[in-house]
Amino acid sequence: EDKVVQSPLSLVVHEGDTVTLNCSYEVTNFRSLLWYKQEKKAPTFLFMLTSSGIEKKSGRLSSILDKKELSSILNITATQTGDSAIYLCAVEETSGSRLTFGEGTQLTVNP
Amino acid sequence: DSGVTQTPKHLITATGQRVTLRCSPRSGDLSVYWYQQSLDQGLQFLIQYYNGEERAKGNILERFSAQQFPDLHSELNLSSLELGDSALYFCASSPGLAGRVLSTDTQYFGPGTRLTVL
């Protein structure tokens, strides 16, 4: 069965800190890895990483896919209170478009 | 705003009842996915439809069913409701089938329906 594990499950930092969130996966047919940010409502898409695109960056957020280690990291630099959310990692299979999600990392950024 | 709409936002009902959740995908998207998010199990894939046909099934209970209509909106029907069915139900949409080369084939989520079964 496909499996996605995120760590840590919870993280509390101060504004300005840099954080690294981890995601490891085991899937039969890997197509892509996605990061989502979930505040009080729906997951909001951040990045998609595929075999042809293993590093993405958008402002203070960046993500890298390590195909050899079957893992990904999401970095957030100069954190702000608005970054407080649950960050979800999901993998997509080749055989179907279902997403298998990890448990998420609850990030709290204190002023 | 992702462009995916879901109604209702909140639903409170009693055990044994039946409810219908509705989803309208983003304009042009052919695939619709349903997910359940509960406190103890995280986000779980239920079912996928592509252009009106069932494409993939996850851990969906037999008491649950879904369909996608010709106008591409989708409905998730939950029957014989139990307390444990209380959760957030999300619909997501994407342009098309998996296996496509296009990197834009990303799933965008609707705001969800919060179901409370009393």
Side-chain angles (χ1 to χ4, degrees):
Chain A
E1 189 173 312
D2 298 342
K3 193 175 179 183
V4 178
V5 177
Q6 291 185 245
S7 64
L9 293 180
S10 180
L11 190 56
V12 180
V13 300
H14 291 290
E15 266 192 320
D17 289 350
T18 293
V19 298
T20 298
L21 311 183
N22 301 285
C23 175
S24 63
Y25 60 90
E26 296 175 22
V27 295
T28 307
N29 297 300
F30 175 84
R31 175 175 180 252
S32 64
L33 184 144
L34 298 92
W35 284 98
Y36 286 86
K37 176 183 180 182
Q38 185 175 25
E39 296 172 89
K40 292 184 179 178
K41 298 183 179 178
T44 304
F45 172 74
L46 294 175
F47 297 119
M48 173 189 270
L49 301 158
T50 66
S51 297
S52 59
I54 61 172
E55 186 169 357
K56 292 284 178 71
K57 183 175 171 62
S58 176
R60 296 178 295 104
L61 277 66
S62 63
S63 183
I64 298 173
L65 176 68
D66 187 333
K67 293 180 292 180
K68 186 177 177 183
E69 297 297 326
L70 305 184
S71 65
S72 174
I73 60 171
L74 176 68
N75 281 316
I76 308 176
T77 60
T79 52
Q80 303 170 357
T81 55
D83 295 326
S84 295
I86 297 173
Y87 289 84
L88 297 165
C89 171
V91 293
E92 184 181 27
E93 299 175 53
T94 303
S95 60
S97 285
R98 69 173 69 190
L99 294 178
T100 301
F101 282 87
E103 311 95 317
T105 293
Q106 171 75 63
L107 174 65
T108 303
V109 182
N110 291 322
Chain B
D1 186 356
S2 66
V4 179
T5 61
Q6 288 186 248
T7 57
K9 289 184 181 178
H10 300 278
L11 200 47
I12 301 174
T13 189
T15 53
Q17 295 298 306
R18 173 190 168 93
V19 297
T20 297
L21 313 184
R22 183 189 168 101
C23 166
S24 292
R26 296 187 316 159
S27 177
D29 283 358
L30 299 178
S31 275
V32 168
Y33 313 78
W34 286 97
Y35 293 87
Q36 179 192 56
Q37 187 175 38
S38 56
L39 283 174
D40 59 344
Q41 290 205 328
L43 259 168
Q44 301 283 323
F45 169 74
L46 295 178
I47 197 164
Q48 175 198 358
Y49 278 82
Y50 172 76
N51 203 21
E53 296 197 1
E54 183 182 304
R55 178 68 177 84
K57 226 170 186 177
N59 299 322
I60 187 167
L61 299 171
E62 286 191 10
R63 300 183 286 107
F64 296 1
S65 64
Q67 54 184 327
Q68 186 179 27
F69 295 86
D71 66 352
L72 301 177
H73 90 271
S74 178
E75 292 181 357
L76 179 67
N77 300 296
L78 315 175
S79 61
S80 302
L81 285 168
E82 302 175 359
L83 296 177
D85 298 327
S86 295
L88 261 173
Y89 291 84
F90 287 108
C91 167
S93 75
S94 72
L97 284 173
R100 290 176 55 158
V101 175
L102 293 178
S103 62
T104 55
D105 204 0
T106 302
Q107 292 182 34
Y108 291 89
F109 283 73
T113 293
R114 181 171 293 281
L115 173 67
T116 303
V117 182
L118 301 174

